[in-house]
Amino acid sequence: IGPALATEWTALDPTTWRFKLRENVRFSNGEVFDAAAATFTFDYLSSKEGRASVIGARVRDIVAVETPDPTTLIIKTKTPDAGLPLRLPSVLMVPPQAWRTLGREKLAQAPIGTGPYRITAWQERTRRIQLAANPFAWRKPLIENLEIIEIAEESVRVQALISGEVDIARVGIDDRSLLQARGIELSATPSYQVMSIALR
């Protein structure tokens, strides 16, 4: 993991972590992201409804969150938790005012984040999402607009790459030779997933 919304973190004792938050960050709707906004997210995840979520279950050992100043977050856990910083990137911060106004369901259909892009259109029928550069982004995007298309079939994704219909796609290892022969650049990263086969 590396610095993003948190720029540094330190274990103060076995059950207390201090996180320094990036300054001058805004959500794509203009709301400020600071320690209070982060605390709002953790307060929801510690509620009955939040604990029932997948992410709430991942941070269920958090017993208190303190905000000594707008860029400092103190997180206390029930037991020593050396892996807490590794799990926190799965906690997506929400803009408090938008959450209060829209509620969980509507915000899920029109997400608001701090990333380089904001969603401008979400077409469920055609499985397409259009994104535009977020004017408030702290990570400035390199291109103005993106379109994400869900293509379930791997063979169709491969053909879309070869034909130039799409610029980037996830493909399987079996198609490596074909794509390289067509001059398509491939990038591979190690997987953290462990797969096993049990024999009886």
Side-chain angles (χ1 to χ4, degrees):
I1 58 172
L5 289 180
T7 56
E8 58 185 89
W9 43 94
T10 309
L12 301 179
D13 62 49
T15 59
T16 309
W17 286 87
R18 181 180 62 215
F19 294 85
K20 292 302 287 183
L21 303 182
R22 188 175 298 278
E23 297 183 35
N24 303 315
V25 174
R26 290 184 176 270
F27 289 95
S28 59
N29 68 342
E31 280 188 62
V32 172
F33 169 78
D34 58 10
T39 301
F40 179 87
T41 299
F42 285 110
D43 285 348
Y44 167 73
L45 292 173
S46 68
S47 70
K48 184 178 179 182
E49 184 180 50
R51 284 185 185 277
S53 70
V54 173
I55 302 304
R58 289 179 63 84
V59 294
R60 66 181 172 274
D61 283 346
I62 294 176
V63 294
V65 179
E66 300 169 5
T67 56
D69 61 64
T71 60
T72 305
L73 202 63
I74 306 290
I75 296 180
K76 295 181 178 288
T77 56
K78 191 186 310 180
T79 57
D81 188 354
L84 182 67
L86 295 171
R87 289 197 311 282
L88 287 185
S90 66
V91 177
L92 303 179
M93 298 292 135
V94 297
Q97 189 54 49
W99 181 278
R100 290 185 194 105
T101 303
L102 300 172
R104 186 180 71 168
E105 298 301 323
K106 287 186 179 175
L107 193 60
Q109 294 171 4
I112 298 169
T114 60
Y117 293 95
R118 60 187 174 83
I119 294 176
T120 56
W122 186 341
Q123 302 160 15
E124 280 195 63
R125 189 180 61 78
T126 58
R127 315 301 283 177
R128 291 172 183 254
I129 297 176
Q130 281 143 1
L131 303 103
N134 173 8
F136 301 108
W138 61 272
R139 290 176 292 168
K140 298 301 178 191
L142 299 178
I143 52 180
E144 280 295 308
N145 299 292
L146 290 176
E147 183 176 35
I148 298 173
I149 308 166
E150 181 184 335
I151 303 175
E153 291 291 326
E154 188 169 313
S155 60
V156 178
R157 287 198 303 271
V158 168
Q159 289 306 314
L161 265 177
I162 292 170
S163 69
E165 182 184 346
V166 300
D167 299 306
I168 301 171
R170 184 170 184 254
V171 295
I173 195 168
D174 294 339
D175 297 304
R176 182 177 180 168
S177 299
L178 170 65
L179 293 169
Q180 285 178 325
R182 299 295 181 106
I184 294 173
E185 183 181 340
L186 300 177
S187 176
T189 55
S191 172
Y192 293 105
Q193 184 178 12
V194 177
M195 301 183 74
S196 61
I197 299 174
L199 303 175
R200 298 176 109 186

